[in-house]
Amino acid sequence: MPTTDMTQATPRASAPAASSRWLRTFRKAGPGSALLVCFPHAGGGANAFSAMAAALPEDIGLVAVQYPGRQDRRAEPCGEDIAGLSEGAAGELLAYPGRRLFLLGHSMGALVAFETARLLAERHIVARLFVSAARPPSHDWQEPDLDGLTDSEVVTGVRRLGGVPEPLLDDPETVGELVRVLRGDHRALRRYRAPADAVLPIPVTVLLAEEDPKNSASQVRDWARHSTAGCGIERLPGGHFSLTDAESPAVPLLTRYIREEAALSQGPGGGRDDGRDRDGSVRAAEAGAAEPAALIKEILLAGLRGVRPPLSTDLTRLEDAAREVLEPNAFGYVAGNAGTGVSTRNNREAFDRLRLVPRMMRGTARRDMSVSLLGHRLPSPVLLAPVAAQGAVHPEGELATVRGAAAVGLPFVLSSFASRTLEEVAAAAGPEPRWFQLYLPTERTVAESLVRRAEASGYTALVVTVDAPSFGYRPVDLDAAHSPFLQGIGISNYTDDPAFRADLPPEADRLAVLAHWAGTATDPALTWDDLAWLRRCTELPVLVKGVLHPDDARLALEYGADGVVVSNHGGRQLDGCVASLDALPAVRAAVGDAAAVLLDSGVRTGPDVLKALALGADAVLLGRPYVYGLALGGQHGVEHVLRCLLADLDLGLALAGCACVADVTAELLTPPGGIPGVHHP
C-alpha cells in the first residue's frame, strides 16, 4: 500500500513562471541543463522530494509533480485516473523547452511518470525513465480497495511500509487527512492497467530497494517489456521509502546516470545521439563495433563510484546465479543434458585441453574482429545460437534476446520452437541481421510455409538442425515430468502458421493442437533428399546444424547446403558423443575452405572462440550463457553476456598477437609434441 509523505517539512518550492498547478520547483538549473522531474507515491505530495533536491549537485535541477487533492491543491478532488494525472503533468512539462528531462516515479508515481513519458515521446524531450518501488504498468498490482477498509486497517498498511513517524499516526487529524488522500489515489491506481505492448523509446532504470516488502526482482523485471531502448535494475539498500530518505542512496546513482546521459547526448552540433547503451554509460554500438575491450575500462571507472556490474563478468558463473531465480522446471529445461551429461562435459574438456601459444610484439593496438560469412560482413565471429522456448525463462523471451543481440550488432538465430513468432522477433530486431533455424517438419506444406514467412520477414539464412529427429533422453525433464512445449511455450511459429492450422479441425482444443504439433514438428524419417528439396525451395543460404562426421559434412554440401554447423546440440541429444571441438578439424578438412563452417556447444569465453577459429571455424554460436543472462536480466542481461564475451575475445586477440580474425590460425595452438624448438626431456 503506497503511503503518504505528510511528515515532510513545508516545501521550500516555487512554481514555474507560468504559475503551474502541477509542478513545484525545488532546485533551479541553468539553461540547457538536465532536469529531474519527480512523481510522488499514492498519498504523497511534491514535497516528498525536497530532501533529494537538497542533495543533488548544482548542475541538475529538480521539479516535483503536485497531484490534486493534497497540500496546496487540497481543495481540488483527487485525480480520478492515472491518465488524467499524466496529462496534467505532460502538458506543463512542455513549458521547459531545450531541457533534457529525466522522469522519476515512486510507487504509484512510476505509473504516472510512465504515461507522461508516453505522451511526450514524440517531442523527444525525455531522456530516461527511473521507476522506484513499482511493478510494471501491465501488471495487476493487487492493491486492496481502501474504500472497503476501516481507517485503522489503512493505517496498519501504512505502518507495514514505513515512511510516516509513529507520533503522526497517533494524531486523528493527520490520520484523517492521510486516509482521505490515500483512498482517492487508490481509486485511480486500481482503475489503471497498461496494455502489455505499451512501450517507450527511451531506456528505463528500475530502482529496487533490497528490503522493500512489496517488490522483488522477479516482480519488477517485466519493466523490460515496456522499453525498446533497454531496461536495467539497480539495487539499493533500504526499504520501500528509501528513495525519499534524507540521505537517499539513490542520489549518487541518479547523478551518475544523468551526467553520463548528458555527456553522451553531445554529438556533432550538440544534438542528441541515440547510440546509448542500456545504462547510458557507454554506447553498445561503439563498444561492440569499435573496441569491445572498452567494457573493461567502463567497469573499472564505475567502480571508483562504488558501482559494480549487475551480473558476474565470469560467464561460467551465470548458471548458478540463474538457478537461484528460475523456477526449477525452467532451470532444468535450460541446464539439463542428455543421459549422464558426458557429451556436455566432453565439450568443455575439449576446450580445456587445448593450449594457446601467444606471440608478442605484433602491433595489436587496434583489432578488427569482423568476418565475412555467407556474403555478409559481420562485426565479430559470434552469433546467438537457436535456443527453443525462451519464454520459459523470461516473459519477453526471444524479443528481449534479439533486442540484446541487436544492441551489440550480433546476428540472432531464431529457433523454430520459439515462444514468439518469427514476425514478432523480426520486428524487434529492426535492421540487424537474423537467421531462422528450421526443424524440418513431417509436412512439407508446413516447412514451406515457415520458409516463406522467414523470407518475407527478412531472415538472411536458414539453419536446418538435423541432430534432433527425436528429442534426447533428458533425465532432468523426465524426472520432473515437464516440458515447456506441453505448456504451450515454444510452439508459436506453428500455431500462428496457416499451413499448420489448415490441418486442424475448427473445434480443436488446446490438447488437440499440442498433439498435432508433437506429431508434426520433427521427423525421424528425414533423409538427405529432404535437404535437396529444401535447397530447391529457397534461395536463402542453408546451413546444416548438428554435423560431427566428416562424411556427413560432405553429404550436406553435395545435397545443396552452403555450410555446416559442427554441433552435438550442447550435449542435449546423444549422451557419450564426441565433443564438437574435437570433430571440427576433420569437418573443415572434408569441406575445404570454400564452405562456411561454424561451431557450437561448450563456448563460454573469448579464448574458447580463439581455439575454435584456430581449428578452422569461421564463427561460433553461443547458447546457454546468453539464456542465463536473459533469465537474470532480460535484454539487459543478454547484452551484458554478449559484451563480456566480445570484450574477452577482443582482449584475447590482442594478447595472442592477432590484429584480426584472419591472424588466428592453427599456429596459435600448442602442436602435438609441444612447442617446436623447445627441449622436452
Short mmCIF file of all heavy atoms in Angstrom, two decimals, residues 56-87:
data_model
loop_
_atom_site.label_atom_id
_atom_site.label_comp_id
_atom_site.label_asym_id
_atom_site.label_seq_id
_atom_site.Cartn_x
_atom_site.Cartn_y
_atom_site.Cartn_z
N LEU A 56 21.11 16.85 -4.46
CA LEU A 56 21.57 16.81 -5.85
C LEU A 56 22.63 17.88 -6.11
O LEU A 56 22.61 18.95 -5.49
CB LEU A 56 20.41 17.01 -6.81
CG LEU A 56 19.47 15.82 -7.03
CD1 LEU A 56 18.25 16.26 -7.82
CD2 LEU A 56 20.18 14.68 -7.75
N PRO A 57 23.53 17.64 -7.05
CA PRO A 57 24.52 18.68 -7.40
C PRO A 57 23.87 19.84 -8.14
O PRO A 57 22.73 19.73 -8.64
CB PRO A 57 25.50 17.92 -8.31
CG PRO A 57 24.70 16.80 -8.88
CD PRO A 57 23.74 16.39 -7.81
N GLU A 58 24.60 20.93 -8.25
CA GLU A 58 24.02 22.16 -8.79
C GLU A 58 23.67 22.06 -10.27
O GLU A 58 22.87 22.85 -10.77
CB GLU A 58 24.99 23.32 -8.57
CG GLU A 58 25.17 23.68 -7.09
CD GLU A 58 26.08 24.87 -6.91
OE1 GLU A 58 26.62 25.37 -7.94
OE2 GLU A 58 26.26 25.31 -5.76
N ASP A 59 24.29 21.14 -10.99
CA ASP A 59 24.04 21.07 -12.43
C ASP A 59 22.80 20.26 -12.78
O ASP A 59 22.51 20.04 -13.96
CB ASP A 59 25.25 20.49 -13.16
CG ASP A 59 25.62 19.10 -12.67
OD1 ASP A 59 25.47 18.84 -11.48
OD2 ASP A 59 26.06 18.28 -13.50
N ILE A 60 22.07 19.80 -11.79
CA ILE A 60 20.83 19.06 -12.04
C ILE A 60 19.68 19.75 -11.32
O ILE A 60 19.69 19.89 -10.09
CB ILE A 60 20.95 17.60 -11.56
CG1 ILE A 60 22.08 16.88 -12.29
CG2 ILE A 60 19.63 16.85 -11.78
CD1 ILE A 60 22.34 15.48 -11.80
N GLY A 61 18.70 20.19 -12.08
CA GLY A 61 17.53 20.81 -11.48
C GLY A 61 16.51 19.76 -11.08
O GLY A 61 16.55 18.61 -11.55
N LEU A 62 15.58 20.13 -10.20
CA LEU A 62 14.54 19.19 -9.79
C LEU A 62 13.22 19.91 -9.65
O LEU A 62 13.12 20.94 -8.98
CB LEU A 62 14.91 18.51 -8.45
CG LEU A 62 13.96 17.40 -7.98
CD1 LEU A 62 14.73 16.31 -7.24
CD2 LEU A 62 12.83 17.92 -7.10
N VAL A 63 12.21 19.36 -10.31
CA VAL A 63 10.83 19.78 -10.09
C VAL A 63 10.04 18.55 -9.71
O VAL A 63 10.38 17.43 -10.12
CB VAL A 63 10.21 20.47 -11.32
CG1 VAL A 63 11.00 21.70 -11.72
CG2 VAL A 63 10.09 19.51 -12.49
N ALA A 64 9.01 18.73 -8.91
CA ALA A 64 8.17 17.62 -8.49
C ALA A 64 6.73 17.90 -8.88
O ALA A 64 6.27 19.05 -8.88
CB ALA A 64 8.29 17.38 -6.99
N VAL A 65 6.04 16.83 -9.23
CA VAL A 65 4.64 16.95 -9.64
C VAL A 65 3.76 17.02 -8.39
O VAL A 65 3.96 16.27 -7.43
CB VAL A 65 4.24 15.75 -10.51
CG1 VAL A 65 2.75 15.79 -10.85
CG2 VAL A 65 5.08 15.71 -11.78
N GLN A 66 2.82 17.95 -8.42
CA GLN A 66 1.84 18.06 -7.33
C GLN A 66 0.49 17.58 -7.83
O GLN A 66 -0.15 18.21 -8.68
CB GLN A 66 1.74 19.52 -6.86
CG GLN A 66 0.86 19.72 -5.63
CD GLN A 66 1.53 19.22 -4.37
OE1 GLN A 66 1.85 18.05 -4.25
NE2 GLN A 66 1.74 20.12 -3.41
N TYR A 67 0.07 16.42 -7.35
CA TYR A 67 -1.24 15.90 -7.73
C TYR A 67 -2.34 16.73 -7.06
O TYR A 67 -2.14 17.31 -5.98
CB TYR A 67 -1.40 14.45 -7.29
CG TYR A 67 -0.34 13.48 -7.75
CD1 TYR A 67 0.10 12.47 -6.91
CD2 TYR A 67 0.20 13.56 -9.04
CE1 TYR A 67 1.06 11.55 -7.32
CE2 TYR A 67 1.17 12.65 -9.45
CZ TYR A 67 1.60 11.66 -8.59
OH TYR A 67 2.55 10.75 -8.99
N PRO A 68 -3.53 16.75 -7.65
CA PRO A 68 -4.65 17.44 -6.98
C PRO A 68 -5.09 16.68 -5.72
O PRO A 68 -4.83 15.50 -5.55
CB PRO A 68 -5.75 17.43 -8.04
CG PRO A 68 -5.41 16.29 -8.95
CD PRO A 68 -3.91 16.21 -8.97
N GLY A 69 -5.71 17.42 -4.80
CA GLY A 69 -6.29 16.80 -3.62
C GLY A 69 -5.44 16.83 -2.38
O GLY A 69 -5.85 16.29 -1.35
N ARG A 70 -4.26 17.48 -2.43
CA ARG A 70 -3.38 17.49 -1.26
C ARG A 70 -2.62 18.80 -1.17
O ARG A 70 -2.51 19.54 -2.15
CB ARG A 70 -2.38 16.32 -1.33
CG ARG A 70 -1.34 16.51 -2.42
CD ARG A 70 -1.03 15.22 -3.14
NE ARG A 70 -2.20 14.71 -3.79
CZ ARG A 70 -2.45 13.40 -3.96
NH1 ARG A 70 -1.59 12.52 -3.53
NH2 ARG A 70 -3.54 13.00 -4.56
N GLN A 71 -2.12 19.10 0.02
CA GLN A 71 -1.28 20.26 0.28
C GLN A 71 -1.93 21.52 -0.31
O GLN A 71 -3.09 21.82 -0.03
CB GLN A 71 0.14 20.00 -0.23
CG GLN A 71 0.82 18.86 0.53
CD GLN A 71 2.17 18.49 -0.02
OE1 GLN A 71 2.64 19.00 -1.01
NE2 GLN A 71 2.82 17.54 0.65
N ASP A 72 -1.21 22.25 -1.17
CA ASP A 72 -1.77 23.50 -1.68
C ASP A 72 -2.87 23.26 -2.73
O ASP A 72 -3.48 24.21 -3.22
CB ASP A 72 -0.67 24.38 -2.26
CG ASP A 72 0.15 23.69 -3.32
OD1 ASP A 72 0.17 22.44 -3.36
OD2 ASP A 72 0.80 24.39 -4.12
N ARG A 73 -3.15 21.99 -3.09
CA ARG A 73 -4.25 21.67 -4.00
C ARG A 73 -5.34 20.86 -3.27
O ARG A 73 -6.10 20.12 -3.88
CB ARG A 73 -3.74 20.89 -5.21
CG ARG A 73 -2.72 21.64 -6.06
CD ARG A 73 -2.36 20.88 -7.33
NE ARG A 73 -3.49 20.83 -8.25
CZ ARG A 73 -3.46 20.18 -9.44
NH1 ARG A 73 -2.36 19.54 -9.79
NH2 ARG A 73 -4.52 20.18 -10.22
N ARG A 74 -5.41 21.06 -1.96
CA ARG A 74 -6.32 20.26 -1.15
C ARG A 74 -7.78 20.50 -1.51
O ARG A 74 -8.62 19.58 -1.40
CB ARG A 74 -6.11 20.57 0.34
CG ARG A 74 -6.88 19.66 1.28
CD ARG A 74 -6.65 20.02 2.73
NE ARG A 74 -7.30 19.07 3.62
CZ ARG A 74 -8.60 19.04 3.87
NH1 ARG A 74 -9.41 19.94 3.32
NH2 ARG A 74 -9.10 18.13 4.69
N ALA A 75 -8.10 21.68 -1.97
CA ALA A 75 -9.50 21.99 -2.29
C ALA A 75 -9.99 21.25 -3.53
O ALA A 75 -11.20 21.15 -3.76
CB ALA A 75 -9.66 23.49 -2.48
N GLU A 76 -9.09 20.73 -4.34
CA GLU A 76 -9.47 20.01 -5.55
C GLU A 76 -9.69 18.53 -5.22
O GLU A 76 -9.07 18.00 -4.31
CB GLU A 76 -8.37 20.12 -6.61
CG GLU A 76 -7.99 21.54 -6.98
CD GLU A 76 -6.80 21.57 -7.93
OE1 GLU A 76 -6.83 20.81 -8.92
OE2 GLU A 76 -5.84 22.33 -7.66
N PRO A 77 -10.57 17.87 -5.97
CA PRO A 77 -10.72 16.43 -5.76
C PRO A 77 -9.49 15.69 -6.26
O PRO A 77 -8.79 16.15 -7.17
CB PRO A 77 -11.96 16.08 -6.60
CG PRO A 77 -12.02 17.15 -7.65
CD PRO A 77 -11.49 18.41 -6.99
N CYS A 78 -9.21 14.57 -5.66
CA CYS A 78 -8.09 13.75 -6.13
C CYS A 78 -8.34 13.31 -7.57
O CYS A 78 -9.49 13.22 -8.03
CB CYS A 78 -7.92 12.52 -5.24
SG CYS A 78 -7.34 12.90 -3.57
N GLY A 79 -7.27 13.05 -8.29
CA GLY A 79 -7.41 12.62 -9.68
C GLY A 79 -8.19 11.33 -9.80
O GLY A 79 -8.03 10.41 -8.99
N GLU A 80 -9.02 11.24 -10.84
CA GLU A 80 -9.86 10.06 -11.00
C GLU A 80 -9.12 8.89 -11.63
O GLU A 80 -9.50 7.74 -11.44
CB GLU A 80 -11.09 10.41 -11.85
CG GLU A 80 -12.04 11.39 -11.18
CD GLU A 80 -13.29 11.61 -12.00
OE1 GLU A 80 -13.36 11.06 -13.12
OE2 GLU A 80 -14.19 12.33 -11.53
N ASP A 81 -8.09 9.19 -12.42
CA ASP A 81 -7.36 8.10 -13.07
C ASP A 81 -5.93 8.53 -13.37
O ASP A 81 -5.59 9.72 -13.32
CB ASP A 81 -8.07 7.65 -14.36
CG ASP A 81 -8.40 8.81 -15.29
OD1 ASP A 81 -7.52 9.68 -15.48
OD2 ASP A 81 -9.51 8.84 -15.83
N ILE A 82 -5.08 7.54 -13.68
CA ILE A 82 -3.67 7.79 -13.99
C ILE A 82 -3.54 8.63 -15.26
O ILE A 82 -2.67 9.50 -15.36
CB ILE A 82 -2.91 6.46 -14.13
CG1 ILE A 82 -2.98 5.66 -12.83
CG2 ILE A 82 -1.46 6.70 -14.54
CD1 ILE A 82 -2.31 6.30 -11.65
N ALA A 83 -4.42 8.39 -16.21
CA ALA A 83 -4.36 9.14 -17.47
C ALA A 83 -4.52 10.63 -17.22
O ALA A 83 -3.79 11.45 -17.79
CB ALA A 83 -5.42 8.63 -18.44
N GLY A 84 -5.47 11.00 -16.37
CA GLY A 84 -5.67 12.42 -16.09
C GLY A 84 -4.48 13.05 -15.39
O GLY A 84 -4.09 14.19 -15.69
N LEU A 85 -3.86 12.32 -14.48
CA LEU A 85 -2.68 12.85 -13.79
C LEU A 85 -1.53 13.03 -14.76
O LEU A 85 -0.81 14.05 -14.72
CB LEU A 85 -2.28 11.89 -12.67
CG LEU A 85 -3.29 11.71 -11.53
CD1 LEU A 85 -2.81 10.65 -10.55
CD2 LEU A 85 -3.53 13.03 -10.80
N SER A 86 -1.33 12.08 -15.64
CA SER A 86 -0.22 12.19 -16.59
C SER A 86 -0.46 13.28 -17.62
O SER A 86 0.47 13.99 -18.02
CB SER A 86 0.02 10.84 -17.28
OG SER A 86 -1.13 10.39 -17.97
N GLU A 87 -1.69 13.45 -18.03
CA GLU A 87 -2.00 14.52 -19.00
C GLU A 87 -1.72 15.89 -18.39
O GLU A 87 -1.19 16.79 -19.05
CB GLU A 87 -3.44 14.41 -19.45
CG GLU A 87 -3.70 13.23 -20.37
CD GLU A 87 -5.18 12.96 -20.57
OE1 GLU A 87 -6.00 13.75 -20.04
OE2 GLU A 87 -5.52 11.96 -21.24
#
